[in-house]
Amino acid sequence: MHTMRRRGLALLPLLAVATACTTGLPVAPKPTFVLVHGAFQDERAWSEVVPRLQAAGHKVVAVRLPGRAGDTTPLAQITLDSYRAQVAAAVSAEPAPVVLVGHSFGGITIANVAEAMPARIRALVFVGAYLPQAGAADQSMAKLAERDRWNGFTPQNFVVAKDYSTAGVLEQDVVMLFCGDCSAADQARTLRDFHQREPLKPAGTPVALTAERYGRVPKVYIQTLRDRAISPQMQQQMLERTPVARVVPIDSGHSPFLSQPAALAQALLEAAGG
């Protein structure tokens, strides 16, 4: 009796392996998130979201675009292609297709990367972002922003360098535009960490996109319903021109990574299939 029980116990691991081989499938690795910040910011914008994605088992890469604080690249050399190259390098470094996420101006950047390397991207996720249209002209951030008649920007919001190399936002308007729904601490953090000057050349450069490449990559759009920088009306107009697989609304202003990090992380996980 004891001999038969020992033999039965010895067979259990073999039976488990056999069952897995006949009924189970290999578990695919979870995709890497590559996160791209918007204008006037750097990769620190994602600091509340990154650990939530990592806790769900994902690798996360937050890209710092050229022209941010500490970068010694001459401003005249920073172009929209510079942004694309920086993000494309991060995507290429990963062994499998990634979930590429862009906030605000980052939507232009991730679309440009998708046009260059569509097979390397599992999904594009636009977070309160510009959503450019394949095949359309004048798809620059500056031109798209001009069409937004409902946002909080005016010509008086901006401080442009004398040589037109960079632009910044007036300090008294930063919170209203970017983080009006944030806590007092996060509003202070926005002024301290995310109030940077933006190179102007990339913002004025149209992105050229095709239906055959950019158009074939699955897209998710996360709507920011109280946005003063890219208005909900403008977001809806862009969605009508470029349909996406899924729209996820979040009741936030332009910085859901600060005001609604848990909701944003959950939306990103759903976009990744997790």
Side-chain angles (χ1 to χ4, degrees):
M1 183 72 173
H2 291 294
T3 301
M4 292 179 64
R5 182 178 297 173
R6 286 196 296 271
R7 287 177 178 172
L9 291 173
L11 287 173
L12 286 177
L14 297 176
L15 290 172
V17 171
T19 301
C21 291
T22 56
T23 64
L25 295 174
V27 177
K30 293 187 176 183
T32 296
F33 283 97
V34 176
L35 310 179
V36 182
H37 61 78
F40 312 111
Q41 299 177 340
D42 59 33
E43 80 287 353
R44 291 174 293 174
W46 302 105
S47 61
E48 300 299 319
V49 175
V50 169
R52 289 172 164 86
L53 300 178
Q54 291 172 332
H58 292 268
K59 180 180 178 182
V60 185
V61 178
V63 179
R64 172 175 282 212
L65 295 177
R68 310 302 118 174
D71 182 12
T72 59
T73 306
L75 291 173
Q77 296 179 15
I78 297 175
T79 66
L80 192 62
D81 286 345
S82 305
Y83 289 2
R84 180 184 63 190
Q86 191 89 354
V87 178
V91 171
S92 297
E94 299 306 313
V98 306
V99 176
L100 184 57
V101 182
H103 170 249
S104 194
F105 184 18
I108 301 286
T109 302
I110 66 172
N112 203 15
V113 174
E115 180 69 21
M117 49 196 318
R120 297 287 291 118
I121 300 167
R122 177 169 175 170
L124 293 171
V125 185
F126 298 81
V127 180
Y130 290 106
L131 176 64
Q133 181 182 1
D138 295 331
Q139 296 290 287
S140 69
M141 188 195 84
K143 287 295 184 182
L144 289 173
E146 284 178 9
R147 299 174 198 165
D148 190 350
R149 299 182 287 108
W150 307 274
N151 64 24
F153 281 108
T154 69
Q156 289 72 40
N157 292 134
F158 292 103
V159 180
V160 180
K162 291 182 179 180
D163 62 358
Y164 295 96
S165 60
T166 65
V169 178
L170 286 176
E171 185 170 338
Q172 62 263 34
D173 294 330
V174 169
V175 167
M176 178 272 293
L177 289 166
F178 298 118
C179 205
D181 61 322
C182 294
S183 67
D186 283 332
Q187 288 178 352
R189 184 182 175 196
T190 297
L191 285 167
R192 183 183 69 247
D193 295 339
F194 306 148
H195 186 205
Q196 301 187 33
R197 298 188 68 81
E198 179 73 17
L200 277 178
K201 188 180 292 184
T205 303
V207 61
L209 305 170
T210 64
E212 294 76 19
R213 297 179 68 81
Y214 162 69
R216 85 185 205 213
V217 181
K219 301 172 184 64
V220 174
Y221 197 94
I222 298 176
Q223 284 184 305
T224 41
L225 299 180
R226 289 194 273 163
D227 205 319
R228 298 294 307 279
I230 304 177
S231 69
Q233 295 93 327
M234 182 62 183
Q235 293 178 38
Q236 187 58 42
Q237 281 193 1
M238 293 186 292
L239 285 165
E240 290 168 1
R241 295 186 177 103
T242 303
V244 302
R246 184 187 308 170
V247 177
V248 181
I250 293 182
D251 186 27
S252 79
H254 196 57
S255 301
F257 39 77
L258 293 179
S259 63
Q260 301 274 353
L264 178 56
Q266 183 58 39
L268 294 177
L269 292 170
E270 291 174 3

